[in-house]
Amino acid sequence: MTMFFLQLLADRHGKPAGLLLVTDGHLAGQQHGPVQPLFGLAAKTACFYRTELAESLAAPLRQAGWHELPSGRTARVDTALAGTLPGHVQWIEGDWALAPPKRPAGNGAASRALALRLVQRVNADADTCEIEELLRHDATLSYHLLRLVNSLGLVNGRKVLSFSQAILLLGRQQLRRWLNLMLFAARGDERSAVLLARVSVRARLMELLARATGLDRPHQELAFMAGMFSLLGVLFGAPLADVLAPLAIDDGVQRALLHRHGELGALLALVEAAERAEFATVCAALDRARLSATEFNDMVADASDWMLAVTCGVTGGSHG
């Protein structure tokens, strides 16, 4: 069985800078089919593969704009970034963004707290006027909401005259997704950009896996939510159960997040194993879900593509 995952590379300042292909080691001697879903990603961000990748696969990737990861230019960091990296290091890999956070700066902490309050109210189906009133308290969130509505082509030449109109145009489901993303985009936290990218891949991959296993649309949305909320404890530097306590979330999502129970819990455990490149565990989980490695690879590429689009929209930046 052939499968891969795409890990995030950061630049030496901790900002997302590219994708790194990791494989299960069973790709040697195969044609380019397994990596074909990856071809389009290099047009959107820097994409790399390790030296040991079979030439039969490395060659078509190079033609698509991928590069061999230069030896000695990458540092693995699994603790909080501290001090200055050696001058030869260009990229950072590892789980440094999952380390406990520093106390965020005042504006960043306020934006993140307000975004969490908005998530609470949207999950509780609060009136639009209540959500609009909360938005008025943060110019950055308000700006990004209007920017999002315009970027999605929802305005059609009309002027958006109020937050309530923007909320109506966007819809509650998309508003909920956007607020979840904005939680990870607060200023003043050096981990924010990388956490936003990682949680975006996780949430989208959860949604795609739920669809592929036959779950209905409401459960696909719950899968997305489970992926998005799974890193809230990391984000806030607090036990996940404490962060989830004030949120009105589905019981199945709660069991998945806290105990990895149920269908959503199994999917979350699968995604986490893929992130750690534990492909034997991923293979067993795919077998139980009756999914092929090819289907999984397609979903990994889709999730990374979606991440590149959505994080650029949220932060207003670019990748690579």
Side-chain angles (χ1 to χ4, degrees):
M1 178 175 281
T2 298
M3 70 185 72
F4 58 71
F5 195 74
L6 294 168
Q7 295 178 345
L8 192 69
L9 289 175
D11 63 21
R12 56 184 293 111
H13 305 293
K15 303 300 181 185
L19 297 172
L20 175 63
L21 176 67
V22 292
T23 76
D24 65 354
H26 297 152
L27 294 173
Q30 298 197 32
Q31 298 302 312
H32 62 72
V35 295
Q36 195 164 4
L38 304 175
F39 288 173
L41 291 172
K44 302 172 183 178
T45 191
C47 293
F48 299 93
Y49 57 87
R50 296 194 189 276
T51 305
E52 59 268 22
L53 185 68
E55 178 60 20
S56 61
L57 298 172
L61 284 176
R62 283 196 300 272
Q63 291 179 354
W66 285 64
H67 304 279
E68 183 178 312
L69 189 67
S71 176
R73 302 296 299 276
T74 303
R76 181 171 185 91
V77 180
D78 291 316
T79 57
L81 290 181
T84 303
L85 294 168
H88 66 274
V89 172
Q90 189 172 355
W91 297 284
I92 307 170
E93 59 178 318
D95 290 331
W96 62 271
L98 304 184
K102 300 175 183 176
R103 184 176 297 276
N107 288 342
S111 287
R112 186 166 284 166
L114 180 60
L116 185 60
R117 288 180 63 195
L118 282 162
V119 169
Q120 294 171 3
R121 300 317 301 144
V122 171
N123 283 341
D125 288 325
D127 291 337
T128 298
C129 60
E130 183 178 349
I131 297 170
E132 182 180 8
E133 181 59 30
L134 285 173
L135 279 168
R136 293 178 185 274
H137 292 287
D138 191 287
T140 301
L141 283 176
S142 302
Y143 164 78
H144 282 300
L145 173 63
L146 297 181
R147 186 174 180 273
L148 176 67
V149 171
N150 282 280
S151 69
L152 292 178
L154 300 174
V155 180
N156 295 325
R158 295 171 291 171
K159 291 185 177 180
V160 177
L161 301 177
S162 66
F163 294 131
S164 61
Q165 186 182 3
I167 293 167
L168 181 63
L169 286 168
L170 191 60
R172 287 300 179 99
Q173 177 178 316
Q174 290 302 320
L175 177 64
R176 183 181 295 110
R177 288 193 172 202
W178 172 76
L179 286 171
N180 292 339
L181 290 169
M182 289 305 296
L183 278 171
F184 290 87
R187 299 153 288 171
D189 186 340
E190 65 182 2
R191 310 168 307 148
S192 289
V194 168
L195 279 178
L196 174 61
R198 288 186 64 152
V199 82
S200 297
V201 170
R202 185 180 284 194
R204 176 62 174 168
L205 187 52
M206 287 279 293
E207 179 184 28
L208 294 172
L209 285 165
R211 179 190 305 170
T213 55
L215 297 182
D216 60 20
R217 187 69 194 109
H219 282 86
Q220 293 170 34
E221 186 63 28
L222 291 177
F224 181 93
M225 180 183 294
M228 188 63 65
F229 284 178
S230 62
L231 289 179
L232 284 183
V234 170
L235 180 69
F236 285 96
L240 182 57
D242 293 350
V243 180
L244 295 177
L247 302 181
I249 62 173
D250 178 83
D251 287 343
V253 172
Q254 184 120 344
R255 289 194 299 272
L257 291 172
L258 298 182
H259 308 294
R260 302 300 184 266
H261 288 175
E263 293 175 309
L264 298 182
L267 294 182
L268 181 54
L270 187 163
V271 173
E272 290 172 325
E275 292 172 347
R276 297 188 297 267
E278 296 174 355
F279 289 112
T281 301
V282 175
C283 180
L286 290 176
D287 285 344
R288 289 192 294 271
R290 299 184 179 180
L291 296 174
S292 69
T294 299
E295 290 173 302
F296 181 72
N297 292 346
D298 287 344
M299 288 184 273
V300 168
D302 183 305
S304 294
D305 192 34
W306 188 85
M307 175 273 292
L308 292 172
V310 76
T311 55
C312 186
V314 168
T315 62
S318 59
H319 300 274

